[in-house]
Amino acid sequence: MLQQDSNDDTEDVSLFDAEEETTNRPKKSKIRHPVASFFHLFFRVSAIIVYLLCELLSSSFIACMVTIILLLSCDFWAVKNVTGRLMVGLRWWNHIDEDGKSHWVFESRKASPQENKTVSEAESRIFWLGLIACPVLWVIFAFSALFSFRVKWLW
């Protein structure tokens, strides 16, 4: 992981267009990106629903697991590339330096003094609760599968 100290020579790069940051949005809408918020929860909740209803939907264990893995892969892509960036201002990527060493770069949007809030509180709650609650549910499902001796669902 790449450690950045506060007085390094890296420049602040805008995550979004400059126009978007300077335009004043109406304060009535608490969720600025409803489509991103929807898809942030859609893939996670869909994977959980497929897991819970798998025996009713299909008799094939492999088809159910492939569907769950595809939904969670889409969720990972959406969080990394879209929802993390739009909803809370996070982005990350892998940078390979001249020596061939791989470094992960993590950034978060910094609030500027002229803007009172860059991130909606409602979107931030949706993002972080979705990011934390769903893995907690998967852990609960893993322990319930272990204690009910449905070991095939742990793999």
Side-chain angles (χ1 to χ4, degrees):
M1 180 170 16
L2 179 64
Q3 298 275 338
Q4 289 185 352
D5 53 334
S6 60
N7 53 3
D8 61 347
D9 293 335
T10 60
E11 63 180 82
D12 288 338
V13 178
S14 176
L15 291 176
F16 305 100
D17 296 335
E19 294 176 15
E20 184 179 338
E21 291 180 0
T22 58
T23 55
N24 293 330
R25 296 181 184 238
K27 292 191 178 184
K28 292 178 186 176
S29 173
K30 291 188 176 189
I31 298 179
R32 294 180 185 169
H33 307 287
V35 175
S37 301
F38 170 76
F39 280 107
H40 179 70
L41 296 176
F42 173 74
F43 293 123
R44 293 172 178 271
V45 172
S46 297
I48 291 173
I49 289 172
V50 168
Y51 176 78
L52 292 174
L53 301 177
C54 194
E55 292 178 359
L56 297 174
L57 297 174
S58 174
S59 60
S60 173
F61 171 75
I62 295 172
C64 292
M65 291 308 293
V66 167
T67 304
I68 292 168
I69 289 170
L70 286 175
L71 285 168
L72 292 176
S73 298
C74 291
D75 172 60
F76 174 77
W77 180 88
V79 169
K80 180 190 178 299
N81 295 312
V82 181
T83 61
R85 192 169 181 166
L86 291 177
M87 295 173 73
V88 292
L90 298 175
R91 72 177 178 176
W92 53 284
W93 68 88
N94 188 8
H95 172 73
I96 299 175
D97 63 6
E98 295 150 358
D99 297 334
K101 293 183 181 177
S102 178
H103 301 283
W104 285 100
V105 181
F106 299 90
E107 291 183 353
S108 63
R109 182 185 320 156
K110 296 176 183 167
S112 62
Q114 59 262 65
E115 294 180 45
N116 57 356
K117 273 213 167 177
T118 58
V119 176
S120 167
E121 269 188 48
E123 283 183 347
S124 179
R125 281 195 190 115
I126 290 170
F127 182 83
W128 291 112
L129 284 175
L131 204 66
I132 294 170
C134 290
V136 168
L137 281 174
W138 284 113
V139 168
I140 292 170
F141 292 154
F143 281 117
S144 69
L146 180 67
F147 293 130
S148 66
F149 297 110
R150 292 188 332 173
V151 181
K152 73 176 185 177
W153 289 105
L154 289 176
W155 306 112

